[in-house]
Amino acid sequence: MSVFTPPKRTLMGPGPSDVPERILEAMSQPTIGHFDPAFQGLMDDIKGLLKYAFRTENALTFPLSAPGSAGMECCFVNLLEPGDKAVVCRNGVFGGRMIENVERCGAIAVVVESDWGEPVDPGLLEETLKDHPDAKLVAFVQAETSTGVSSDAKTLCRIAREHDCLTVVDAVTSLGGTPLEVDKWGIDAVYSGSQKCLSCPPGLSPVSFSERALDAIRNRKTKVQSWFLDLSLVMDYWDGAGGRTYHHTAPVNAMYGLHESLCILKEEGLEEAWARHRTMHEKLRDGLEDMGLELLVKPDYRLPQLNTVKIPDHVTDEAALRKRLLEEFNLEIGAGLGALAGKVWRLGLMGHSARQENVELCLGALRRVLN
Amino acid sequence: MSVFTPPKRTLMGPGPSDVPERILEAMSQPTIGHFDPAFQGLMDDIKGLLKYAFRTENALTFPLSAPGSAGMECCFVNLLEPGDKAVVCRNGVFGGRMIENVERCGAIAVVVESDWGEPVDPGLLEETLKDHPDAKLVAFVQAETSTGVSSDAKTLCRIAREHDCLTVVDAVTSLGGTPLEVDKWGIDAVYSGSQKCLSCPPGLSPVSFSERALDAIRNRKTKVQSWFLDLSLVMDYWDGAGGRTYHHTAPVNAMYGLHESLCILKEEGLEEAWARHRTMHEKLRDGLEDMGLELLVKPDYRLPQLNTVKIPDHVTDEAALRKRLLEEFNLEIGAGLGALAGKVWRLGLMGHSARQENVELCLGALRRVLN
């Protein structure tokens, strides 16, 4: 077997995003044991930095040792018990995945449907909660990666609270890219991914849980159906107070990388990172519109970090165009997903990918292949 | 925040083991997309190399994007449905974890108990299966990391087959270190970890499933309770035939590392790797016995890669000794787990850690701190 040497790509799809050299170097440092005192220190630092990124004081804030889809599952299996009712807002692929998760917990999913490309409708959520006063939680995706739509997390959380529901928020694509205020908005459970606006390789899912969420977990009548994701066990592994308890073995080197990425985020400043994503989005948007391309999502609720572009009518084989971008320009952009497959491209400007040179490369390459 | 610089340790605990420079370098290569054709090629290569390591032709052989404990859970949630009966053999911590997993699937665990430090008793398994002709599967740990005991996987699988049961085998510590014959022994589901005898950083769980296991999954009456671990979805992500379907985002850089580690294993040769583990174990054992130290496990079923040493009576604070080994010699050894806490040390000789210089360092350092 020969050593695998990956091509050098520019990553402007829906994730992973470009990983800075600093993070790759951090990840290649020697592996240490997961009970090494030095690793304990790293875990504490990561927890502190994640609190900064999530804007929370939640004690239970840490990266789960698995990708974002496990982070989603972790929220539902811990907060739901068989027979519970959950209101799930669906306006794209990931809301649909939430419904799957709810049902696999033996719980009942009440679905608030919005069109793909539209945000979750707060009025519809309110009506649904009036019809279902026994709902235990409300779940929605803040930044729908499948459509490029931002939903109004602050308002949705307020409505959920008014109806005494816990909230589960998918922040996979928002964390580090657009405003997310876990404490101010009263979010109870939130999960993200390492490979989007944090610019790490994929594999980790930062999560955070409020005291209200922990109360719900403490008051469970049944065991969490997943041993691996059972927070009552995982928190004893991540909590340094009184000694950590063995649960699983954390992905040590991936943690080095996440730590470095969070240091980079703090050096830049969270609000400065949000502003950079917005600025780069505006440059990309202007260039796309100059070329006569149209964005799927209305300006009011467009995600700066995930730009969904309608594929022009004259393009008969969009996959061939993406292949040319990859082969001739080493540029990866994203295909449409689900109902939008073949209809849109998804141009990611996430984390380290939200840079002037990426915007120029993307616009230049698109100009070439569309002519 | 300052950059985290881990100390340079020699890892001789129960895992992670020492990670060769080649693997760390492979992991620090640029991240590419998980639908990049180059990544598809890498996935295919990894599947082929894992088949070599597991000694199997099973089509469904791949690394799960999460640690070994998720690999364990994956086996149980896919093979068991509520009300099913599973015979679980327990002779250490990880058999106990299996019972937890079975019960969280709503299934019934019938436990075959053996003493800690002893292998699973095939006679007792046979009796139990006679008493429970409705059992669907038999689960056991081939290499108990908590005690250093090797159970006779070949015989246990034969007995399970004779009673028409599926087998789930924990090979977390055995894969790449001691003989494991998935096809010859008729194992139906097996999981391992990247951080033991494969010498990768932790985070991935190689798994393999037989056609019989797949039939059982195809004939399920209920959905798998975990969306993240549902093999009917995961296999469409890993299977290149007819195009892959998006499920989660694979940990791209961790896969680079696993690929490199499997290349190293193939270069050395699987049987040569087994022989090396045995030779290094003999050297370590001889040295320990020369110092008057005693191994917990009888020679017949000792794991070469995980040596459980009884802590001498005169040692009153064993944790302080391990601390000295770490601080003065940068040497990590493992503490006892569960019933063996405070009574034994666990000396790992796994993968790249199974080297002459590690044996010498360990013996020399132990000599210093015990005098």
PDB file of all heavy atoms in Angstrom, chain A residues 4 9 29 36 73 97 100 104 223-224 226-228 230 247, chain B residues 4 9 29 36 73 97 100 104 223-224 226 228 230 247:
ATOM      1  N   PHE A   4      -1.276   7.631   1.524  1.00  0.00           N
ATOM      2  CA  PHE A   4      -2.325   8.441   0.909  1.00  0.00           C
ATOM      3  C   PHE A   4      -1.943   9.917   0.995  1.00  0.00           C
ATOM      4  O   PHE A   4      -1.684  10.448   2.064  1.00  0.00           O
ATOM      5  CB  PHE A   4      -3.647   8.217   1.635  1.00  0.00           C
ATOM      6  CG  PHE A   4      -4.758   9.089   1.126  1.00  0.00           C
ATOM      7  CD1 PHE A   4      -5.329   8.842  -0.121  1.00  0.00           C
ATOM      8  CD2 PHE A   4      -5.229  10.156   1.886  1.00  0.00           C
ATOM      9  CE1 PHE A   4      -6.361   9.653  -0.598  1.00  0.00           C
ATOM     10  CE2 PHE A   4      -6.263  10.969   1.411  1.00  0.00           C
ATOM     11  CZ  PHE A   4      -6.831  10.707   0.174  1.00  0.00           C
ATOM     12  N   ARG A   9      -7.242  20.989  -1.686  1.00  0.00           N
ATOM     13  CA  ARG A   9      -8.482  21.609  -2.168  1.00  0.00           C
ATOM     14  C   ARG A   9      -8.754  22.932  -1.471  1.00  0.00           C
ATOM     15  O   ARG A   9      -8.254  23.176  -0.373  1.00  0.00           O
ATOM     16  CB  ARG A   9      -9.683  20.698  -1.862  1.00  0.00           C
ATOM     17  CG  ARG A   9      -9.583  19.272  -2.336  1.00  0.00           C
ATOM     18  CD  ARG A   9      -9.580  19.153  -3.834  1.00  0.00           C
ATOM     19  NE  ARG A   9      -9.902  17.787  -4.236  1.00  0.00           N
ATOM     20  CZ  ARG A   9      -9.617  17.283  -5.438  1.00  0.00           C
ATOM     21  NH1 ARG A   9      -8.993  18.008  -6.355  1.00  0.00           N
ATOM     22  NH2 ARG A   9      -9.955  16.036  -5.739  1.00  0.00           N
ATOM     23  N   GLN A  29       0.594  16.670  17.025  1.00  0.00           N
ATOM     24  CA  GLN A  29       1.465  16.549  18.194  1.00  0.00           C
ATOM     25  C   GLN A  29       1.296  15.162  18.834  1.00  0.00           C
ATOM     26  O   GLN A  29       0.295  14.494  18.618  1.00  0.00           O
ATOM     27  CB  GLN A  29       1.135  17.656  19.193  1.00  0.00           C
ATOM     28  CG  GLN A  29       1.455  19.042  18.648  1.00  0.00           C
ATOM     29  CD  GLN A  29       1.213  20.111  19.698  1.00  0.00           C
ATOM     30  OE1 GLN A  29       2.137  20.577  20.332  1.00  0.00           O
ATOM     31  NE2 GLN A  29      -0.038  20.473  19.889  1.00  0.00           N
ATOM     32  N   ASP A  36      -4.089  11.629  31.479  1.00  0.00           N
ATOM     33  CA  ASP A  36      -2.883  12.404  31.781  1.00  0.00           C
ATOM     34  C   ASP A  36      -3.318  13.752  32.370  1.00  0.00           C
ATOM     35  O   ASP A  36      -4.243  14.372  31.860  1.00  0.00           O
ATOM     36  CB  ASP A  36      -2.096  12.603  30.474  1.00  0.00           C
ATOM     37  CG  ASP A  36      -0.679  13.077  30.713  1.00  0.00           C
ATOM     38  OD1 ASP A  36      -0.500  14.102  31.393  1.00  0.00           O
ATOM     39  OD2 ASP A  36       0.256  12.422  30.223  1.00  0.00           O
ATOM     40  N   GLU A  73     -28.444  13.437  18.293  1.00  0.00           N
ATOM     41  CA  GLU A  73     -29.033  12.275  18.969  1.00  0.00           C
ATOM     42  C   GLU A  73     -28.859  12.380  20.485  1.00  0.00           C
ATOM     43  O   GLU A  73     -29.756  12.018  21.251  1.00  0.00           O
ATOM     44  CB  GLU A  73     -28.385  10.996  18.435  1.00  0.00           C
ATOM     45  CG  GLU A  73     -29.089   9.740  18.911  1.00  0.00           C
ATOM     46  CD  GLU A  73     -28.757   8.521  18.039  1.00  0.00           C
ATOM     47  OE1 GLU A  73     -28.603   8.686  16.808  1.00  0.00           O
ATOM     48  OE2 GLU A  73     -28.667   7.421  18.590  1.00  0.00           O
ATOM     49  N   ARG A  97     -34.339  15.021  10.048  1.00  0.00           N
ATOM     50  CA  ARG A  97     -33.524  14.094  10.835  1.00  0.00           C
ATOM     51  C   ARG A  97     -33.919  14.159  12.314  1.00  0.00           C
ATOM     52  O   ARG A  97     -33.890  13.139  13.017  1.00  0.00           O
ATOM     53  CB  ARG A  97     -32.047  14.462  10.652  1.00  0.00           C
ATOM     54  CG  ARG A  97     -31.106  13.480  11.259  1.00  0.00           C
ATOM     55  CD  ARG A  97     -29.670  13.835  10.978  1.00  0.00           C
ATOM     56  NE  ARG A  97     -29.297  13.618   9.579  1.00  0.00           N
ATOM     57  CZ  ARG A  97     -28.037  13.715   9.130  1.00  0.00           C
ATOM     58  NH1 ARG A  97     -27.065  14.035   9.960  1.00  0.00           N
ATOM     59  NH2 ARG A  97     -27.761  13.502   7.860  1.00  0.00           N
ATOM     60  N   GLU A 100     -36.868  11.913  12.902  1.00  0.00           N
ATOM     61  CA  GLU A 100     -36.388  10.530  12.998  1.00  0.00           C
ATOM     62  C   GLU A 100     -35.872  10.226  14.400  1.00  0.00           C
ATOM     63  O   GLU A 100     -36.155   9.176  14.980  1.00  0.00           O
ATOM     64  CB  GLU A 100     -35.238  10.304  12.016  1.00  0.00           C
ATOM     65  CG  GLU A 100     -35.647   9.852  10.636  1.00  0.00           C
ATOM     66  CD  GLU A 100     -36.183   8.420  10.641  1.00  0.00           C
ATOM     67  OE1 GLU A 100     -35.788   7.618  11.504  1.00  0.00           O
ATOM     68  OE2 GLU A 100     -37.027   8.124   9.774  1.00  0.00           O
ATOM     69  N   ARG A 104     -37.428   7.589  17.177  1.00  0.00           N
ATOM     70  CA  ARG A 104     -36.629   6.447  17.642  1.00  0.00           C
ATOM     71  C   ARG A 104     -36.449   6.442  19.158  1.00  0.00           C
ATOM     72  O   ARG A 104     -35.992   5.451  19.731  1.00  0.00           O
ATOM     73  CB  ARG A 104     -35.280   6.426  16.920  1.00  0.00           C
ATOM     74  CG  ARG A 104     -35.424   6.014  15.459  1.00  0.00           C
ATOM     75  CD  ARG A 104     -34.115   6.150  14.695  1.00  0.00           C
ATOM     76  NE  ARG A 104     -34.336   6.040  13.256  1.00  0.00           N
ATOM     77  CZ  ARG A 104     -33.672   5.200  12.452  1.00  0.00           C
ATOM     78  NH1 ARG A 104     -32.766   4.396  12.941  1.00  0.00           N
ATOM     79  NH2 ARG A 104     -33.927   5.171  11.155  1.00  0.00           N
ATOM     80  N   LYS A 223     -33.898   4.784  31.898  1.00  0.00           N
ATOM     81  CA  LYS A 223     -32.509   5.025  31.511  1.00  0.00           C
ATOM     82  C   LYS A 223     -32.447   5.582  30.094  1.00  0.00           C
ATOM     83  O   LYS A 223     -33.292   5.250  29.251  1.00  0.00           O
ATOM     84  CB  LYS A 223     -31.726   3.705  31.546  1.00  0.00           C
ATOM     85  CG  LYS A 223     -31.173   3.360  32.908  1.00  0.00           C
ATOM     86  CD  LYS A 223     -30.179   2.202  32.806  1.00  0.00           C
ATOM     87  CE  LYS A 223     -29.714   1.774  34.187  1.00  0.00           C
ATOM     88  NZ  LYS A 223     -28.805   0.610  34.122  1.00  0.00           N
ATOM     89  N   VAL A 224     -31.448   6.379  29.820  1.00  0.00           N
ATOM     90  CA  VAL A 224     -31.194   6.863  28.461  1.00  0.00           C
ATOM     91  C   VAL A 224     -30.912   5.650  27.573  1.00  0.00           C
ATOM     92  O   VAL A 224     -30.143   4.770  27.958  1.00  0.00           O
ATOM     93  CB  VAL A 224     -30.002   7.837  28.469  1.00  0.00           C
ATOM     94  CG1 VAL A 224     -29.574   8.199  27.057  1.00  0.00           C
ATOM     95  CG2 VAL A 224     -30.364   9.097  29.265  1.00  0.00           C
ATOM     96  N   SER A 226     -29.234   5.194  24.944  1.00  0.00           N
ATOM     97  CA  SER A 226     -27.862   5.060  24.458  1.00  0.00           C
ATOM     98  C   SER A 226     -26.883   5.133  25.621  1.00  0.00           C
ATOM     99  O   SER A 226     -26.854   6.122  26.359  1.00  0.00           O
ATOM    100  CB  SER A 226     -27.540   6.178  23.465  1.00  0.00           C
ATOM    101  OG  SER A 226     -26.140   6.212  23.214  1.00  0.00           O
ATOM    102  N   TRP A 227     -26.072   4.094  25.759  1.00  0.00           N
ATOM    103  CA  TRP A 227     -25.037   4.118  26.800  1.00  0.00           C
ATOM    104  C   TRP A 227     -23.959   5.133  26.432  1.00  0.00           C
ATOM    105  O   TRP A 227     -23.515   5.919  27.275  1.00  0.00           O
ATOM    106  CB  TRP A 227     -24.414   2.718  26.939  1.00  0.00           C
ATOM    107  CG  TRP A 227     -23.466   2.623  28.098  1.00  0.00           C
ATOM    108  CD1 TRP A 227     -23.773   2.249  29.375  1.00  0.00           C
ATOM    109  CD2 TRP A 227     -22.073   2.939  28.099  1.00  0.00           C
ATOM    110  NE1 TRP A 227     -22.653   2.329  30.170  1.00  0.00           N
ATOM    111  CE2 TRP A 227     -21.604   2.738  29.414  1.00  0.00           C
ATOM    112  CE3 TRP A 227     -21.179   3.386  27.120  1.00  0.00           C
ATOM    113  CZ2 TRP A 227     -20.270   2.957  29.771  1.00  0.00           C
ATOM    114  CZ3 TRP A 227     -19.849   3.609  27.478  1.00  0.00           C
ATOM    115  CH2 TRP A 227     -19.404   3.383  28.787  1.00  0.00           C
ATOM    116  N   PHE A 228     -23.556   5.155  25.186  1.00  0.00           N
ATOM    117  CA  PHE A 228     -22.475   6.037  24.724  1.00  0.00           C
ATOM    118  C   PHE A 228     -22.842   7.508  24.893  1.00  0.00           C
ATOM    119  O   PHE A 228     -21.986   8.342  25.169  1.00  0.00           O
ATOM    120  CB  PHE A 228     -22.161   5.715  23.253  1.00  0.00           C
ATOM    121  CG  PHE A 228     -21.120   6.603  22.626  1.00  0.00           C
ATOM    122  CD1 PHE A 228     -19.842   6.689  23.149  1.00  0.00           C
ATOM    123  CD2 PHE A 228     -21.430   7.354  21.496  1.00  0.00           C
ATOM    124  CE1 PHE A 228     -18.887   7.512  22.562  1.00  0.00           C
ATOM    125  CE2 PHE A 228     -20.476   8.171  20.902  1.00  0.00           C
ATOM    126  CZ  PHE A 228     -19.203   8.261  21.438  1.00  0.00           C
ATOM    127  N   ASP A 230     -25.242   8.739  27.051  1.00  0.00           N
ATOM    128  CA  ASP A 230     -25.912   9.010  28.324  1.00  0.00           C
ATOM    129  C   ASP A 230     -25.147  10.094  29.086  1.00  0.00           C
ATOM    130  O   ASP A 230     -24.062   9.862  29.599  1.00  0.00           O
ATOM    131  CB  ASP A 230     -25.974   7.713  29.144  1.00  0.00           C
ATOM    132  CG  ASP A 230     -26.749   7.882  30.446  1.00  0.00           C
ATOM    133  OD1 ASP A 230     -26.950   9.028  30.892  1.00  0.00           O
ATOM    134  OD2 ASP A 230     -27.157   6.854  31.019  1.00  0.00           O
ATOM    135  N   HIS A 247     -15.271   6.590  31.030  1.00  0.00           N
ATOM    136  CA  HIS A 247     -16.483   6.276  30.266  1.00  0.00           C
ATOM    137  C   HIS A 247     -16.070   5.711  28.921  1.00  0.00           C
ATOM    138  O   HIS A 247     -16.180   4.532  28.673  1.00  0.00           O
ATOM    139  CB  HIS A 247     -17.356   7.529  30.122  1.00  0.00           C
ATOM    140  CG  HIS A 247     -18.587   7.326  29.289  1.00  0.00           C
ATOM    141  ND1 HIS A 247     -18.704   7.837  28.016  1.00  0.00           N
ATOM    142  CD2 HIS A 247     -19.726   6.649  29.545  1.00  0.00           C
ATOM    143  CE1 HIS A 247     -19.889   7.471  27.527  1.00  0.00           C
ATOM    144  NE2 HIS A 247     -20.523   6.767  28.438  1.00  0.00           N
TER     145      HIS A 247
ATOM    146  N   PHE B   4      -1.488  24.663  23.036  1.00  0.00           N
ATOM    147  CA  PHE B   4      -1.281  23.507  23.913  1.00  0.00           C
ATOM    148  C   PHE B   4      -0.162  22.640  23.363  1.00  0.00           C
ATOM    149  O   PHE B   4      -0.214  22.185  22.227  1.00  0.00           O
ATOM    150  CB  PHE B   4      -2.564  22.693  24.011  1.00  0.00           C
ATOM    151  CG  PHE B   4      -2.409  21.436  24.816  1.00  0.00           C
ATOM    152  CD1 PHE B   4      -2.281  21.492  26.200  1.00  0.00           C
ATOM    153  CD2 PHE B   4      -2.390  20.193  24.200  1.00  0.00           C
ATOM    154  CE1 PHE B   4      -2.135  20.336  26.954  1.00  0.00           C
ATOM    155  CE2 PHE B   4      -2.243  19.029  24.946  1.00  0.00           C
ATOM    156  CZ  PHE B   4      -2.113  19.100  26.325  1.00  0.00           C
ATOM    157  N   ARG B   9       5.161  11.586  26.019  1.00  0.00           N
ATOM    158  CA  ARG B   9       5.062  10.448  26.917  1.00  0.00           C
ATOM    159  C   ARG B   9       5.410   9.143  26.203  1.00  0.00           C
ATOM    160  O   ARG B   9       5.326   9.060  24.970  1.00  0.00           O
ATOM    161  CB  ARG B   9       3.635  10.292  27.439  1.00  0.00           C
ATOM    162  CG  ARG B   9       3.012  11.504  28.077  1.00  0.00           C
ATOM    163  CD  ARG B   9       3.670  11.876  29.393  1.00  0.00           C
ATOM    164  NE  ARG B   9       2.809  12.775  30.164  1.00  0.00           N
ATOM    165  CZ  ARG B   9       3.242  13.578  31.134  1.00  0.00           C
ATOM    166  NH1 ARG B   9       4.518  13.620  31.443  1.00  0.00           N
ATOM    167  NH2 ARG B   9       2.395  14.344  31.797  1.00  0.00           N
ATOM    168  N   GLN B  29      -2.229  16.101   7.190  1.00  0.00           N
ATOM    169  CA  GLN B  29      -2.372  16.518   5.792  1.00  0.00           C
ATOM    170  C   GLN B  29      -3.676  17.302   5.601  1.00  0.00           C
ATOM    171  O   GLN B  29      -4.592  17.202   6.404  1.00  0.00           O
ATOM    172  CB  GLN B  29      -2.353  15.276   4.893  1.00  0.00           C
ATOM    173  CG  GLN B  29      -0.996  14.573   4.904  1.00  0.00           C
ATOM    174  CD  GLN B  29      -0.972  13.412   3.923  1.00  0.00           C
ATOM    175  OE1 GLN B  29      -0.470  13.539   2.838  1.00  0.00           O
ATOM    176  NE2 GLN B  29      -1.562  12.306   4.321  1.00  0.00           N
ATOM    177  N   ASP B  36     -15.353  13.928  -1.747  1.00  0.00           N
ATOM    178  CA  ASP B  36     -14.299  14.078  -2.745  1.00  0.00           C
ATOM    179  C   ASP B  36     -13.973  12.688  -3.304  1.00  0.00           C
ATOM    180  O   ASP B  36     -13.860  11.729  -2.541  1.00  0.00           O
ATOM    181  CB  ASP B  36     -13.067  14.697  -2.064  1.00  0.00           C
ATOM    182  CG  ASP B  36     -12.038  15.206  -3.057  1.00  0.00           C
ATOM    183  OD1 ASP B  36     -11.607  14.416  -3.925  1.00  0.00           O
ATOM    184  OD2 ASP B  36     -11.667  16.384  -2.966  1.00  0.00           O
ATOM    185  N   GLU B  73     -21.962  -0.426  21.071  1.00  0.00           N
ATOM    186  CA  GLU B  73     -23.386  -0.079  21.019  1.00  0.00           C
ATOM    187  C   GLU B  73     -23.975  -0.352  19.633  1.00  0.00           C
ATOM    188  O   GLU B  73     -25.109  -0.829  19.504  1.00  0.00           O
ATOM    189  CB  GLU B  73     -23.574   1.393  21.415  1.00  0.00           C
ATOM    190  CG  GLU B  73     -25.019   1.800  21.565  1.00  0.00           C
ATOM    191  CD  GLU B  73     -25.195   3.067  22.408  1.00  0.00           C
ATOM    192  OE1 GLU B  73     -24.410   3.293  23.353  1.00  0.00           O
ATOM    193  OE2 GLU B  73     -26.123   3.826  22.117  1.00  0.00           O
ATOM    194  N   ARG B  97     -20.352  -3.748  30.640  1.00  0.00           N
ATOM    195  CA  ARG B  97     -20.852  -2.703  29.744  1.00  0.00           C
ATOM    196  C   ARG B  97     -21.774  -3.290  28.681  1.00  0.00           C
ATOM    197  O   ARG B  97     -22.747  -2.665  28.258  1.00  0.00           O
ATOM    198  CB  ARG B  97     -19.659  -1.983  29.097  1.00  0.00           C
ATOM    199  CG  ARG B  97     -20.037  -0.757  28.349  1.00  0.00           C
ATOM    200  CD  ARG B  97     -18.822  -0.046  27.790  1.00  0.00           C
ATOM    201  NE  ARG B  97     -18.047   0.630  28.825  1.00  0.00           N
ATOM    202  CZ  ARG B  97     -17.036   1.448  28.577  1.00  0.00           C
ATOM    203  NH1 ARG B  97     -16.681   1.686  27.316  1.00  0.00           N
ATOM    204  NH2 ARG B  97     -16.375   2.029  29.560  1.00  0.00           N
ATOM    205  N   GLU B 100     -25.232  -3.649  30.099  1.00  0.00           N
ATOM    206  CA  GLU B 100     -25.885  -2.335  30.059  1.00  0.00           C
ATOM    207  C   GLU B 100     -26.467  -2.056  28.673  1.00  0.00           C
ATOM    208  O   GLU B 100     -27.591  -1.574  28.523  1.00  0.00           O
ATOM    209  CB  GLU B 100     -24.856  -1.240  30.367  1.00  0.00           C
ATOM    210  CG  GLU B 100     -24.718  -0.884  31.821  1.00  0.00           C
ATOM    211  CD  GLU B 100     -25.940  -0.170  32.371  1.00  0.00           C
ATOM    212  OE1 GLU B 100     -26.639   0.509  31.603  1.00  0.00           O
ATOM    213  OE2 GLU B 100     -26.192  -0.322  33.573  1.00  0.00           O
ATOM    214  N   ARG B 104     -30.447  -1.666  27.608  1.00  0.00           N
ATOM    215  CA  ARG B 104     -30.932  -0.397  27.057  1.00  0.00           C
ATOM    216  C   ARG B 104     -31.587  -0.584  25.683  1.00  0.00           C
ATOM    217  O   ARG B 104     -32.219   0.338  25.162  1.00  0.00           O
ATOM    218  CB  ARG B 104     -29.796   0.625  27.002  1.00  0.00           C
ATOM    219  CG  ARG B 104     -29.425   1.145  28.388  1.00  0.00           C
ATOM    220  CD  ARG B 104     -28.189   2.018  28.367  1.00  0.00           C
ATOM    221  NE  ARG B 104     -27.673   2.244  29.710  1.00  0.00           N
ATOM    222  CZ  ARG B 104     -27.447   3.442  30.240  1.00  0.00           C
ATOM    223  NH1 ARG B 104     -27.672   4.522  29.550  1.00  0.00           N
ATOM    224  NH2 ARG B 104     -26.975   3.555  31.463  1.00  0.00           N
ATOM    225  N   LYS B 223     -37.427  -0.233  13.980  1.00  0.00           N
ATOM    226  CA  LYS B 223     -36.269   0.554  13.567  1.00  0.00           C
ATOM    227  C   LYS B 223     -35.187   0.469  14.628  1.00  0.00           C
ATOM    228  O   LYS B 223     -35.473   0.347  15.824  1.00  0.00           O
ATOM    229  CB  LYS B 223     -36.670   2.023  13.410  1.00  0.00           C
ATOM    230  CG  LYS B 223     -37.250   2.360  12.048  1.00  0.00           C
ATOM    231  CD  LYS B 223     -37.330   3.868  11.882  1.00  0.00           C
ATOM    232  CE  LYS B 223     -38.038   4.207  10.577  1.00  0.00           C
ATOM    233  NZ  LYS B 223     -38.215   5.659  10.402  1.00  0.00           N
ATOM    234  N   VAL B 224     -33.939   0.565  14.197  1.00  0.00           N
ATOM    235  CA  VAL B 224     -32.810   0.641  15.132  1.00  0.00           C
ATOM    236  C   VAL B 224     -32.983   1.900  15.984  1.00  0.00           C
ATOM    237  O   VAL B 224     -33.281   2.966  15.453  1.00  0.00           O
ATOM    238  CB  VAL B 224     -31.486   0.681  14.337  1.00  0.00           C
ATOM    239  CG1 VAL B 224     -30.304   0.969  15.249  1.00  0.00           C
ATOM    240  CG2 VAL B 224     -31.285  -0.635  13.589  1.00  0.00           C
ATOM    241  N   SER B 226     -30.997   3.828  17.475  1.00  0.00           N
ATOM    242  CA  SER B 226     -30.037   4.908  17.241  1.00  0.00           C
ATOM    243  C   SER B 226     -29.998   5.258  15.753  1.00  0.00           C
ATOM    244  O   SER B 226     -29.709   4.404  14.912  1.00  0.00           O
ATOM    245  CB  SER B 226     -28.638   4.500  17.693  1.00  0.00           C
ATOM    246  OG  SER B 226     -27.673   5.424  17.212  1.00  0.00           O
ATOM    247  N   PHE B 228     -27.820   7.471  14.494  1.00  0.00           N
ATOM    248  CA  PHE B 228     -26.398   7.610  14.169  1.00  0.00           C
ATOM    249  C   PHE B 228     -25.744   6.254  13.908  1.00  0.00           C
ATOM    250  O   PHE B 228     -24.846   6.134  13.070  1.00  0.00           O
ATOM    251  CB  PHE B 228     -25.692   8.343  15.321  1.00  0.00           C
ATOM    252  CG  PHE B 228     -24.205   8.483  15.161  1.00  0.00           C
ATOM    253  CD1 PHE B 228     -23.649   9.132  14.067  1.00  0.00           C
ATOM    254  CD2 PHE B 228     -23.333   7.975  16.121  1.00  0.00           C
ATOM    255  CE1 PHE B 228     -22.266   9.275  13.927  1.00  0.00           C
ATOM    256  CE2 PHE B 228     -21.958   8.103  15.991  1.00  0.00           C
ATOM    257  CZ  PHE B 228     -21.428   8.756  14.890  1.00  0.00           C
ATOM    258  N   ASP B 230     -27.425   3.373  13.019  1.00  0.00           N
ATOM    259  CA  ASP B 230     -28.272   2.482  12.218  1.00  0.00           C
ATOM    260  C   ASP B 230     -27.499   2.015  10.972  1.00  0.00           C
ATOM    261  O   ASP B 230     -27.256   2.786  10.049  1.00  0.00           O
ATOM    262  CB  ASP B 230     -29.539   3.242  11.805  1.00  0.00           C
ATOM    263  CG  ASP B 230     -30.534   2.351  11.050  1.00  0.00           C
ATOM    264  OD1 ASP B 230     -30.124   1.280  10.536  1.00  0.00           O
ATOM    265  OD2 ASP B 230     -31.705   2.742  10.966  1.00  0.00           O
ATOM    266  N   HIS B 247     -24.927  10.573   5.152  1.00  0.00           N
ATOM    267  CA  HIS B 247     -25.462  10.173   6.455  1.00  0.00           C
ATOM    268  C   HIS B 247     -24.925  11.139   7.517  1.00  0.00           C
ATOM    269  O   HIS B 247     -25.641  11.996   7.997  1.00  0.00           O
ATOM    270  CB  HIS B 247     -25.083   8.717   6.771  1.00  0.00           C
ATOM    271  CG  HIS B 247     -25.529   8.247   8.114  1.00  0.00           C
ATOM    272  ND1 HIS B 247     -24.659   8.042   9.156  1.00  0.00           N
ATOM    273  CD2 HIS B 247     -26.764   7.963   8.591  1.00  0.00           C
ATOM    274  CE1 HIS B 247     -25.342   7.648  10.229  1.00  0.00           C
ATOM    275  NE2 HIS B 247     -26.610   7.588   9.911  1.00  0.00           N
TER     276      HIS B 247
END
